[in-house]
Amino acid sequence: AWAAGDRAGAVTALADDVVDAFVVEGSPAACRARLADYEEAGVTTVALMHLSAAPTPAERAQDIRSQLRSLAPGAHPRGANAAPAGGVRSRTGEASL
C-alpha cells in the first residue's frame, strides 16, 4: 500500500502489536515519555523516523516539521503535559508523532 501511495492504508494495515513494539506514537508529551523510558532502559542512541499519512507532500512536510518542533530538545520541559498541537493522524485517527 505504501509503495502505491496509499499511506493511510499502509498505516492501517500494521498490526497493533507491531506498532506498540516499534513505534513511538501519541501526543508530544506521550512520545517524550516513551523516549524517556528507552533512556531509562539504557538506550543511548535512537534514530527517529518521522512519518505522516497526510494526502499531499506539502501536508506531509508540514506534519513532519510540526513533529520535529514538538520533540526538539528544549522545546518543552521534561514531563510537561502541555504540548503544541500537531503531528499526524494515527491509525485510530488520533494526533500522533
Coordinates of all heavy atoms in Angstrom, one line a residue:
A1 N 0.8 -1.2 0.0 CA 0.0 0.0 0.0 C 0.9 1.3 0.0 O 0.6 2.2 -0.7 CB -0.9 0.0 1.2
W2 N 2.0 1.2 0.8 CA 2.8 2.4 0.9 C 3.4 2.8 -0.5 O 3.4 3.9 -0.9 CB 3.9 2.2 1.9 CG 4.8 3.4 2.2 CD1 5.9 3.8 1.5 CD2 4.5 4.4 3.1 NE1 6.4 5.0 2.1 CE2 5.5 5.4 3.1 CE3 3.5 4.6 4.1 CZ2 5.6 6.5 3.9 CZ3 3.6 5.7 4.9 CH2 4.6 6.6 4.8
A3 N 3.9 1.7 -1.2 CA 4.6 2.0 -2.5 C 3.6 2.5 -3.5 O 3.9 3.2 -4.4 CB 5.2 0.7 -3.0
A4 N 2.3 2.1 -3.3 CA 1.3 2.6 -4.3 C 0.8 4.0 -3.9 O -0.1 4.5 -4.6 CB 0.1 1.6 -4.3
G5 N 1.3 4.6 -2.8 CA 0.9 5.9 -2.4 C -0.3 5.9 -1.4 O -0.8 7.0 -1.0
D6 N -0.7 4.8 -1.0 CA -1.9 4.7 -0.1 C -1.3 4.7 1.3 O -1.2 3.7 2.0 CB -2.7 3.4 -0.3 CG -3.9 3.3 0.6 OD1 -4.2 4.2 1.3 OD2 -4.5 2.2 0.6
R7 N -0.9 5.8 1.8 CA -0.2 6.0 3.1 C -1.2 5.6 4.2 O -0.8 4.9 5.2 CB 0.4 7.3 3.3 CG 1.4 7.6 2.2 CD 2.2 8.9 2.4 NE 3.1 9.2 1.3 CZ 4.1 8.6 0.9 NH1 4.4 7.4 1.4 NH2 4.9 9.0 -0.1
A8 N -2.4 6.1 4.2 CA -3.3 5.8 5.2 C -3.6 4.3 5.3 O -3.7 3.7 6.3 CB -4.6 6.6 5.0
G9 N -3.7 3.6 4.1 CA -4.0 2.2 4.1 C -2.8 1.4 4.6 O -3.0 0.4 5.3
A10 N -1.6 1.9 4.3 CA -0.4 1.2 4.8 C -0.3 1.3 6.4 O 0.0 0.3 7.0 CB 0.9 1.8 4.2
V11 N -0.6 2.5 6.9 CA -0.6 2.6 8.4 C -1.7 1.8 9.0 O -1.4 1.1 10.0 CB -0.8 4.1 8.7 CG1 -1.1 4.3 10.2 CG2 0.4 5.0 8.3
T12 N -2.9 1.7 8.4 CA -4.0 0.9 8.9 C -3.6 -0.6 8.9 O -4.1 -1.3 9.7 CB -5.3 1.2 8.1 OG1 -5.5 2.6 8.2 CG2 -6.4 0.4 8.7
A13 N -2.8 -1.0 7.9 CA -2.5 -2.4 7.7 C -1.6 -3.0 8.8 O -1.5 -4.2 9.0 CB -1.9 -2.7 6.4
L14 N -0.9 -2.1 9.5 CA 0.0 -2.5 10.6 C -0.7 -3.1 11.8 O -1.7 -2.5 12.3 CB 0.9 -1.4 11.0 CG 1.9 -0.9 10.0 CD1 2.6 0.4 10.6 CD2 2.9 -1.9 9.7
A15 N -0.3 -4.3 12.2 CA -1.0 -4.9 13.4 C -0.6 -4.0 14.7 O 0.5 -3.5 14.8 CB -0.5 -6.3 13.6
D16 N -1.6 -3.9 15.6 CA -1.4 -3.1 16.8 C -0.2 -3.5 17.6 O 0.5 -2.7 18.1 CB -2.6 -3.2 17.7 CG -3.8 -2.4 17.1 OD1 -3.6 -1.6 16.1 OD2 -4.9 -2.6 17.6
D17 N 0.1 -4.8 17.7 CA 1.2 -5.3 18.5 C 2.5 -4.9 17.8 O 3.5 -4.6 18.5 CB 1.2 -6.8 18.8 CG 1.1 -7.6 17.5 OD1 0.7 -7.2 16.5 OD2 1.5 -8.8 17.7
V18 N 2.6 -4.8 16.5 CA 3.8 -4.4 15.8 C 4.0 -2.9 16.1 O 5.1 -2.4 16.4 CB 3.7 -4.6 14.3 CG1 4.9 -4.0 13.6 CG2 3.7 -6.1 14.1
V19 N 2.9 -2.1 16.0 CA 3.0 -0.7 16.2 C 3.5 -0.4 17.7 O 4.4 0.3 17.9 CB 1.7 0.0 16.0 CG1 1.7 1.5 16.4 CG2 1.3 -0.1 14.5
D20 N 2.9 -1.1 18.6 CA 3.2 -0.9 20.0 C 4.7 -1.3 20.3 O 5.3 -0.7 21.2 CB 2.3 -1.8 20.9 CG 0.8 -1.3 20.9 OD1 0.6 -0.1 20.5 OD2 0.0 -2.1 21.3
A21 N 5.2 -2.3 19.6 CA 6.6 -2.7 19.9 C 7.6 -1.8 19.3 O 8.7 -1.7 19.8 CB 6.8 -4.2 19.3
F22 N 7.3 -1.2 18.1 CA 8.3 -0.5 17.4 C 8.1 1.0 17.1 O 9.0 1.7 16.6 CB 8.5 -1.2 16.0 CG 9.1 -2.6 16.1 CD1 8.2 -3.7 15.9 CD2 10.4 -2.8 16.4 CE1 8.7 -5.0 16.1 CE2 10.9 -4.1 16.5 CZ 10.0 -5.2 16.4
V23 N 6.9 1.5 17.5 CA 6.6 2.9 17.1 C 6.3 3.7 18.4 O 5.6 3.3 19.3 CB 5.3 2.9 16.2 CG1 4.9 4.3 15.9 CG2 5.6 2.1 14.9
V24 N 6.9 4.9 18.4 CA 6.6 5.8 19.4 C 5.6 6.7 18.8 O 5.8 7.4 17.8 CB 7.9 6.7 19.8 CG1 7.5 7.8 20.8 CG2 9.0 5.7 20.4
E25 N 4.4 6.7 19.4 CA 3.3 7.5 18.9 C 2.4 8.1 20.0 O 2.5 7.7 21.1 CB 2.4 6.6 18.0 CG 1.6 5.6 18.7 CD 0.6 4.9 17.8 OE1 0.1 5.4 16.8 OE2 0.2 3.8 18.2
G26 N 1.7 9.1 19.6 CA 0.8 9.7 20.6 C 1.1 11.2 20.6 O 1.6 11.8 19.6
S27 N 0.6 11.9 21.6 CA 0.9 13.3 21.8 C 2.4 13.6 22.0 O 3.1 12.6 22.3 CB 0.1 13.8 23.0 OG 0.7 13.3 24.2
P28 N 2.8 14.8 21.8 CA 4.2 15.1 22.0 C 4.6 14.7 23.4 O 5.7 14.1 23.6 CB 4.3 16.6 21.8 CG 3.2 16.9 20.8 CD 2.1 16.0 21.2
A29 N 3.8 14.9 24.4 CA 4.1 14.5 25.8 C 4.3 13.0 25.9 O 5.2 12.5 26.6 CB 3.1 15.1 26.8
A30 N 3.4 12.3 25.3 CA 3.4 10.8 25.4 C 4.7 10.3 24.7 O 5.3 9.3 25.1 CB 2.2 10.2 24.7
C31 N 5.0 10.9 23.6 CA 6.3 10.5 22.8 C 7.5 10.8 23.7 O 8.4 9.9 23.7 CB 6.3 11.2 21.5 SG 5.1 10.6 20.3
R32 N 7.6 11.9 24.3 CA 8.7 12.2 25.1 C 8.8 11.3 26.3 O 9.9 10.8 26.6 CB 8.6 13.7 25.6 CG 9.0 14.7 24.6 CD 9.1 16.1 25.1 NE 7.9 16.6 25.7 CZ 6.9 17.2 25.0 NH1 7.0 17.3 23.7 NH2 5.8 17.6 25.6
A33 N 7.7 10.9 26.9 CA 7.7 9.9 28.0 C 8.2 8.5 27.5 O 8.9 7.9 28.2 CB 6.3 9.8 28.6
R34 N 7.7 8.1 26.3 CA 8.2 6.8 25.8 C 9.7 6.8 25.5 O 10.4 5.9 25.8 CB 7.4 6.5 24.5 CG 7.7 5.2 23.8 CD 7.0 4.0 24.5 NE 7.5 2.8 23.9 CZ 7.0 2.2 22.8 NH1 5.9 2.7 22.2 NH2 7.5 1.0 22.4
L35 N 10.2 8.0 24.9 CA 11.6 8.1 24.7 C 12.4 8.1 26.0 O 13.5 7.5 26.1 CB 11.9 9.3 23.9 CG 11.4 9.3 22.4 CD1 11.5 10.7 21.8 CD2 12.1 8.2 21.6
A36 N 11.8 8.7 27.1 CA 12.4 8.7 28.4 C 12.5 7.2 28.9 O 13.5 6.9 29.6 CB 11.7 9.6 29.3
D37 N 11.5 6.4 28.6 CA 11.5 5.0 29.0 C 12.7 4.3 28.4 O 13.4 3.5 29.0 CB 10.2 4.3 28.6 CG 9.0 4.8 29.4 OD1 9.2 5.4 30.5 OD2 7.9 4.5 28.9
Y38 N 12.9 4.6 27.1 CA 14.1 4.0 26.4 C 15.4 4.4 27.1 O 16.3 3.6 27.3 CB 14.1 4.4 24.9 CG 13.1 3.7 24.0 CD1 12.2 4.4 23.3 CD2 13.1 2.3 23.9 CE1 11.3 3.8 22.4 CE2 12.2 1.7 23.1 CZ 11.3 2.4 22.3 OH 10.4 1.8 21.5
E39 N 15.5 5.7 27.4 CA 16.7 6.2 28.1 C 16.9 5.5 29.4 O 18.0 5.1 29.8 CB 16.6 7.7 28.3 CG 17.8 8.3 28.9 CD 17.7 9.8 29.1 OE1 16.5 10.3 29.2 OE2 18.7 10.5 29.1
E40 N 15.8 5.4 30.2 CA 15.9 4.7 31.5 C 16.3 3.2 31.4 O 16.9 2.7 32.3 CB 14.6 4.8 32.2 CG 14.3 6.2 32.7 CD 12.9 6.4 33.3 OE1 12.3 5.4 33.7 OE2 12.5 7.6 33.4
A41 N 16.0 2.6 30.2 CA 16.3 1.2 30.0 C 17.7 1.1 29.5 O 18.2 0.0 29.3 CB 15.4 0.6 29.0
G42 N 18.5 2.2 29.3 CA 19.8 2.1 28.9 C 20.1 2.4 27.5 O 21.3 2.4 27.0
V43 N 19.1 2.7 26.7 CA 19.3 3.1 25.3 C 20.0 4.4 25.2 O 19.6 5.4 25.9 CB 18.0 3.1 24.5 CG1 18.2 3.6 23.1 CG2 17.4 1.8 24.5
T44 N 21.1 4.5 24.5 CA 21.9 5.8 24.5 C 21.8 6.5 23.1 O 22.1 7.6 23.0 CB 23.4 5.5 24.8 OG1 23.9 4.6 23.8 CG2 23.6 5.0 26.2
T45 N 21.3 5.7 22.1 CA 21.2 6.3 20.7 C 19.9 5.9 20.1 O 19.6 4.7 20.2 CB 22.4 5.9 19.8 OG1 23.6 6.2 20.5 CG2 22.3 6.5 18.5
V46 N 19.1 6.8 19.6 CA 17.9 6.4 18.9 C 18.0 7.1 17.5 O 18.6 8.1 17.3 CB 16.6 6.9 19.6 CG1 16.5 6.2 21.0 CG2 16.6 8.4 19.8
A47 N 17.2 6.5 16.6 CA 17.1 7.1 15.3 C 15.6 7.2 15.1 O 14.9 6.2 15.0 CB 17.7 6.2 14.2
L48 N 15.1 8.5 15.0 CA 13.7 8.7 14.8 C 13.4 8.9 13.3 O 14.1 9.6 12.6 CB 13.3 9.9 15.6 CG 13.5 9.9 17.1 CD1 13.1 11.2 17.7 CD2 12.8 8.7 17.7
M49 N 12.3 8.3 12.9 CA 11.8 8.4 11.5 C 10.4 9.0 11.6 O 9.5 8.3 12.1 CB 11.8 7.1 10.8 CG 11.3 7.2 9.4 SD 11.4 5.6 8.6 CE 10.7 5.9 7.1
H50 N 10.3 10.2 11.2 CA 9.0 10.9 11.3 C 8.2 10.6 10.1 O 8.7 10.7 9.0 CB 9.2 12.4 11.5 CG 9.9 12.8 12.7 ND1 9.2 13.1 13.9 CD2 11.2 12.8 13.1 CE1 10.1 13.3 14.8 NE2 11.3 13.2 14.4
L51 N 6.9 10.2 10.3 CA 6.1 9.8 9.2 C 4.8 10.6 9.3 O 4.4 11.1 10.3 CB 5.7 8.3 9.3 CG 6.8 7.3 9.3 CD1 6.3 5.9 9.5 CD2 7.5 7.4 7.9
S52 N 4.2 10.7 8.1 CA 2.9 11.3 8.0 C 2.1 10.6 7.0 O 2.6 10.2 5.9 CB 3.0 12.8 7.6 OG 1.8 13.3 7.3
A53 N 0.8 10.4 7.3 CA -0.1 9.8 6.3 C -1.0 10.8 5.6 O -1.9 10.5 4.9 CB -1.0 8.8 7.1
A54 N -0.6 12.1 5.7 CA -1.3 13.2 5.0 C -1.3 12.9 3.5 O -0.4 12.3 3.0 CB -0.7 14.5 5.3
P55 N -2.4 13.4 2.8 CA -2.5 13.0 1.4 C -1.6 13.7 0.4 O -1.3 13.2 -0.6 CB -4.0 13.4 1.1 CG -4.3 14.4 2.2 CD -3.5 14.1 3.4
T56 N -1.0 14.9 0.8 CA -0.2 15.6 -0.2 C 1.3 15.7 0.4 O 1.4 15.8 1.6 CB -0.7 17.0 -0.5 OG1 -0.6 17.8 0.6 CG2 -2.2 16.9 -1.0
P57 N 2.2 15.9 -0.5 CA 3.6 16.1 0.0 C 3.7 17.3 0.9 O 4.4 17.3 1.9 CB 4.4 16.2 -1.3 CG 3.7 15.5 -2.3 CD 2.2 15.7 -1.9
A58 N 3.0 18.4 0.5 CA 3.1 19.6 1.3 C 2.5 19.4 2.7 O 3.1 19.9 3.7 CB 2.3 20.8 0.6
E59 N 1.4 18.7 2.8 CA 0.8 18.4 4.1 C 1.7 17.5 4.9 O 1.9 17.6 6.2 CB -0.6 17.8 4.0 CG -1.6 18.8 3.5 CD -2.9 18.1 3.1 OE1 -2.9 17.2 2.2 OE2 -3.9 18.4 3.8
R60 N 2.3 16.5 4.3 CA 3.3 15.6 5.0 C 4.4 16.4 5.5 O 4.9 16.2 6.7 CB 3.7 14.5 4.1 CG 2.6 13.5 3.8 CD 3.1 12.2 3.1 NE 3.6 12.4 1.8 CZ 2.8 12.4 0.7 NH1 1.5 12.2 0.8 NH2 3.4 12.5 -0.5
A61 N 5.0 17.3 4.7 CA 6.1 18.1 5.2 C 5.7 18.9 6.4 O 6.5 19.1 7.3 CB 6.6 19.0 4.0
Q62 N 4.6 19.5 6.3 CA 4.1 20.3 7.5 C 3.9 19.5 8.7 O 4.3 19.9 9.8 CB 2.8 21.0 7.1 CG 2.2 21.9 8.3 CD 3.2 23.0 8.7 OE1 3.9 23.6 7.9 NE2 3.4 23.1 10.0
D63 N 3.3 18.3 8.6 CA 3.2 17.4 9.7 C 4.6 17.1 10.3 O 4.7 17.1 11.5 CB 2.5 16.1 9.3 CG 1.0 16.2 9.1 OD1 0.4 17.2 9.4 OD2 0.5 15.2 8.5
I64 N 5.5 16.7 9.5 CA 6.8 16.3 10.0 C 7.6 17.5 10.6 O 8.2 17.4 11.7 CB 7.7 15.7 8.8 CG1 7.0 14.3 8.5 CG2 9.1 15.5 9.2 CD1 7.5 13.7 7.2
R65 N 7.4 18.7 10.1 CA 8.0 19.9 10.7 C 7.4 20.1 12.1 O 8.1 20.4 13.1 CB 7.8 21.2 9.9 CG 8.8 21.4 8.8 CD 8.7 22.8 8.2 NE 7.4 23.0 7.5 CZ 7.1 22.6 6.2 NH1 8.1 22.0 5.5 NH2 6.0 22.9 5.7
S66 N 6.1 19.9 12.2 CA 5.4 20.1 13.5 C 5.9 19.0 14.5 O 6.2 19.3 15.7 CB 3.9 19.9 13.3 OG 3.3 20.0 14.5
Q67 N 6.1 17.8 14.0 CA 6.6 16.7 14.9 C 8.0 17.1 15.4 O 8.3 16.9 16.6 CB 6.7 15.4 14.1 CG 5.4 14.8 13.7 CD 5.5 13.7 12.7 OE1 6.6 13.2 12.5 NE2 4.5 13.4 12.0
L68 N 8.9 17.5 14.5 CA 10.3 17.9 14.9 C 10.3 19.0 15.9 O 11.0 18.9 16.9 CB 11.1 18.2 13.6 CG 11.4 17.1 12.7 CD1 11.9 17.6 11.4 CD2 12.3 16.1 13.3
R69 N 9.5 20.0 15.7 CA 9.4 21.1 16.6 C 8.9 20.7 18.0 O 9.4 21.1 19.0 CB 8.5 22.2 16.1 CG 9.1 23.0 15.0 CD 8.2 24.2 14.6 NE 8.7 24.7 13.3 CZ 8.0 24.6 12.2 NH1 6.8 24.1 12.1 NH2 8.5 25.2 11.1
S70 N 8.0 19.8 18.0 CA 7.4 19.3 19.2 C 8.4 18.4 20.1 O 8.3 18.4 21.3 CB 6.1 18.4 19.0 OG 5.1 19.2 18.4
L71 N 9.3 17.8 19.4 CA 10.2 16.9 20.1 C 11.6 17.4 20.2 O 12.5 16.8 20.8 CB 10.3 15.5 19.4 CG 9.0 14.7 19.5 CD1 9.1 13.4 18.7 CD2 8.7 14.3 21.0
A72 N 11.8 18.6 19.7 CA 13.2 19.2 19.7 C 13.7 19.4 21.1 O 12.9 19.8 22.0 CB 13.2 20.5 19.0
P73 N 15.0 19.1 21.4 CA 15.5 19.3 22.7 C 15.2 20.8 23.2 O 15.4 21.7 22.4 CB 17.0 19.1 22.6 CG 17.1 18.2 21.4 CD 16.0 18.6 20.5
G74 N 14.8 20.9 24.4 CA 14.5 22.2 24.9 C 13.1 22.8 24.5 O 12.8 23.9 25.0
A75 N 12.4 22.1 23.7 CA 11.1 22.6 23.2 C 10.1 22.7 24.4 O 9.3 23.6 24.5 CB 10.5 21.8 22.1
H76 N 10.2 21.7 25.3 CA 9.3 21.6 26.4 C 10.1 21.0 27.6 O 10.9 20.1 27.4 CB 8.1 20.6 26.1 CG 7.4 21.1 24.9 ND1 6.5 22.1 24.9 CD2 7.4 20.6 23.6 CE1 6.1 22.3 23.6 NE2 6.6 21.4 22.9
P77 N 9.8 21.4 28.8 CA 10.5 20.8 29.9 C 10.1 19.3 30.0 O 9.0 19.0 29.7 CB 10.0 21.6 31.1 CG 8.9 22.5 30.6 CD 8.9 22.5 29.1
R78 N 11.0 18.5 30.4 CA 10.7 17.1 30.6 C 9.5 16.9 31.5 O 9.5 17.5 32.6 CB 11.9 16.3 31.1 CG 11.7 14.9 31.3 CD 12.9 14.2 31.7 NE 13.2 13.2 30.7 CZ 14.3 12.6 30.6 NH1 15.3 12.8 31.4 NH2 14.5 11.7 29.6
G79 N 8.6 16.1 31.1 CA 7.4 15.8 31.9 C 6.3 16.8 31.8 O 5.3 16.6 32.4
A80 N 6.5 17.8 31.0 CA 5.4 18.8 30.8 C 4.2 18.2 30.1 O 4.4 17.4 29.2 CB 5.9 20.0 30.0
N81 N 3.1 18.5 30.6 CA 1.9 17.9 29.9 C 1.4 18.8 28.8 O 0.8 18.3 27.8 CB 0.7 17.8 31.0 CG 1.0 16.7 32.0 OD1 1.6 15.7 31.6 ND2 0.6 16.9 33.2
A82 N 1.7 20.1 28.8 CA 1.2 20.9 27.7 C 2.2 20.8 26.5 O 3.4 20.7 26.7 CB 1.3 22.4 28.2
A83 N 1.6 20.6 25.4 CA 2.4 20.5 24.2 C 1.6 21.1 23.0 O 0.3 21.1 23.0 CB 2.6 19.0 23.9
P84 N 2.3 21.6 22.0 CA 1.5 22.1 20.9 C 0.8 21.1 20.1 O 1.2 19.9 20.1 CB 2.7 22.7 20.0 CG 3.9 22.0 20.4 CD 3.7 21.6 21.8
A85 N -0.3 21.5 19.5 CA -1.0 20.6 18.6 C -0.1 20.3 17.4 O 0.8 21.1 17.0 CB -2.3 21.2 18.1
G86 N -0.3 19.2 16.7 CA 0.5 18.9 15.5 C 0.7 17.4 15.4 O 0.3 16.6 16.3
G87 N 1.4 17.0 14.4 CA 1.7 15.6 14.2 C 0.8 15.1 13.2 O 0.2 15.8 12.4
V88 N 0.8 13.8 13.1 CA 0.0 13.1 12.1 C -1.2 12.4 12.7 O -1.3 12.3 13.9 CB 0.9 12.1 11.3 CG1 2.0 12.8 10.6 CG2 1.4 11.0 12.2
R89 N -2.0 11.8 11.9 CA -3.1 11.1 12.4 C -2.7 9.6 12.5 O -2.2 9.0 11.6 CB -4.3 11.2 11.5 CG -4.8 12.6 11.4 CD -5.5 13.0 12.7 NE -5.6 14.5 12.7 CZ -5.7 15.2 13.8 NH1 -5.7 14.6 15.0 NH2 -5.8 16.5 13.8
S90 N -2.9 9.0 13.7 CA -2.6 7.6 13.8 C -3.6 6.8 13.2 O -4.6 7.2 12.6 CB -2.5 7.3 15.3 OG -3.8 7.3 15.9
R91 N -3.4 5.5 13.2 CA -4.4 4.5 12.6 C -5.7 4.6 13.2 O -6.7 4.3 12.6 CB -3.8 3.1 12.6 CG -3.4 2.6 13.9 CD -2.5 1.4 13.7 NE -1.6 1.4 14.9 CZ -2.0 1.3 16.1 NH1 -3.3 1.2 16.4 NH2 -1.1 1.3 17.1
T92 N -5.8 5.2 14.4 CA -7.1 5.4 15.1 C -7.7 6.8 14.9 O -8.7 7.1 15.4 CB -7.0 5.1 16.6 OG1 -6.1 6.0 17.1 CG2 -6.6 3.7 16.9
G93 N -6.9 7.6 14.2 CA -7.4 9.0 13.9 C -7.0 10.0 14.9 O -7.3 11.2 14.8
E94 N -6.2 9.5 16.0 CA -5.7 10.5 17.0 C -4.5 11.1 16.5 O -3.7 10.6 15.7 CB -5.4 9.7 18.3 CG -6.7 9.0 18.8 CD -6.3 8.1 20.0 OE1 -5.1 8.0 20.3 OE2 -7.3 7.6 20.6
A95 N -4.2 12.3 17.0 CA -3.0 13.0 16.6 C -1.8 12.2 17.2 O -1.9 11.7 18.3 CB -3.0 14.4 17.2
S96 N -0.8 12.1 16.4 CA 0.4 11.3 16.9 C 1.6 11.8 16.2 O 1.6 12.5 15.2 CB 0.2 9.8 16.7 OG 0.1 9.5 15.3
L97 N 2.7 11.4 16.8 CA 4.1 11.8 16.3 C 4.7 10.6 15.7 O 4.5 9.5 16.1 CB 4.9 12.4 17.3 CG 4.4 13.7 17.9 CD1 5.3 14.1 19.1 CD2 4.4 14.8 16.9

